[in-house]
Amino acid sequence: MSKLAARALLAVVFWPSLFFFWFLGPFVFFLLSTTSSEVCARLETRAEFLAAANGTLPMLAVQNLIYAVPILCLVLWDRLLPEPARARHVITCVKLFAAAVVVGALWEYGSSLVCDGYGRAFFSPFWRMTSYLPIVSLVINVPLYVLAISLGRAFSTREDVTEDGAIPPP
């Protein structure tokens, strides 16, 4: 398979996954991964509450694997077309993604632990502080999204296309 075909195949995977997983996915996974208020009202003991929160962990793992698809595409693109400047940006993108995964997992798991229908403090106040993590997540994700989109655009654009969009004759 030629490099151009491999790049095109990666572009076909990258752009839809970026849109559906990174822009629409958080809404779906957030609804699926947190403990609902109906469940919270039925939890009586700390063990039940912790078991319900721990039930979110498989969903968080699947979520992060799915979110990693665009990052994997960027890494593969970088392997196909190694360029030191882009490689540094891809590494930055991977680091930002890792930080976003940790912050997102803490936020979603912590929001499951904070939910208590009876107002009892089963867990330490640390978990209540996770309500501030969406702000941290936003601070990490905005540069990650901008960097991933710009890298995706750079990797998926043909190199023989000039600035004005014209393709030089063979």
Side-chain angles (χ1 to χ4, degrees):
M1 182 184 329
S2 75
K3 283 188 177 188
L4 184 60
R7 288 175 62 193
L9 181 61
L10 284 170
V12 167
V13 173
F14 176 80
W15 291 109
S17 68
L18 187 74
F19 177 72
F20 289 111
F21 299 153
W22 282 19
F23 295 123
L24 298 179
F27 300 110
V28 173
F29 281 117
F30 180 72
L31 292 174
L32 294 174
S33 66
T34 57
T35 307
S36 73
S37 59
E38 296 165 4
V39 173
C40 285
R42 290 184 272 152
L43 299 175
E44 297 279 336
T45 66
R46 182 182 176 112
E48 289 174 331
F49 201 77
L50 191 57
N54 287 341
T56 64
L57 293 177
M59 180 63 74
L60 289 173
V62 168
Q63 173 183 341
N64 289 325
L65 286 175
I66 290 172
Y67 286 168
V69 171
I71 299 296
L72 180 63
C73 288
L74 291 175
V75 170
L76 292 174
W77 262 327
D78 189 51
R79 300 290 300 238
L80 282 172
L81 298 166
E83 186 179 312
R86 282 189 193 157
R88 284 191 304 275
H89 291 304
V90 170
I91 289 169
T92 301
C93 211
V94 169
K95 289 177 182 177
L96 285 171
F97 179 74
V101 164
V102 169
V103 169
L106 277 174
W107 173 45
E108 291 181 27
Y109 186 73
S111 66
S112 295
L113 287 175
V114 168
C115 176
D116 180 8
Y118 298 111
R120 289 183 290 220
F122 281 144
F123 300 96
S124 74
F126 169 76
W127 292 113
R128 288 190 190 93
M129 292 175 51
T130 61
S131 62
Y132 296 106
L133 288 177
I135 297 166
V136 175
S137 183
L138 187 65
V139 167
I140 294 170
N141 280 317
V142 167
L144 173 63
Y145 285 21
V146 170
L147 188 58
I149 289 169
S150 66
L151 283 170
R153 185 172 183 267
F155 279 126
S156 61
T157 303
R158 288 179 48 173
E159 293 173 348
D160 59 349
V161 177
T162 61
E163 288 290 323
D164 61 358
I167 300 174

